[in-house]
Amino acid sequence: MELIVGFFCILFALGISIATAVLASRKGRNSVNWFFISLFWGIVELIVLACSKHL
């Protein structure tokens, strides 16, 4: 059971990171950097990026 929960947590983290990278690309920012930052900070970085302005 713990393996399944861990697998879904990893998938969720990757999904959030991919969404952050796509949003960063649309806002004119470096998507690779934002992808790796959001791996550690998660949904917080997605919210920060969503509230930021375009470059």
Side-chain angles (χ1 to χ4, degrees), residues 6-50:
F7 179 71
F8 283 116
C9 286
I10 291 171
L11 282 179
F12 182 74
L14 283 174
I16 292 293
S17 297
I18 291 170
T20 304
V22 169
L23 184 61
S25 177
R26 290 183 182 174
K27 290 206 172 216
R29 302 183 189 278
N30 188 342
S31 60
V32 175
N33 287 345
W34 280 92
F35 174 81
F36 286 113
I37 289 171
S38 67
L39 276 177
F40 296 108
W41 287 94
I43 200 159
V44 172
E45 289 302 315
L46 182 62
I47 294 169
V48 167
L49 185 62

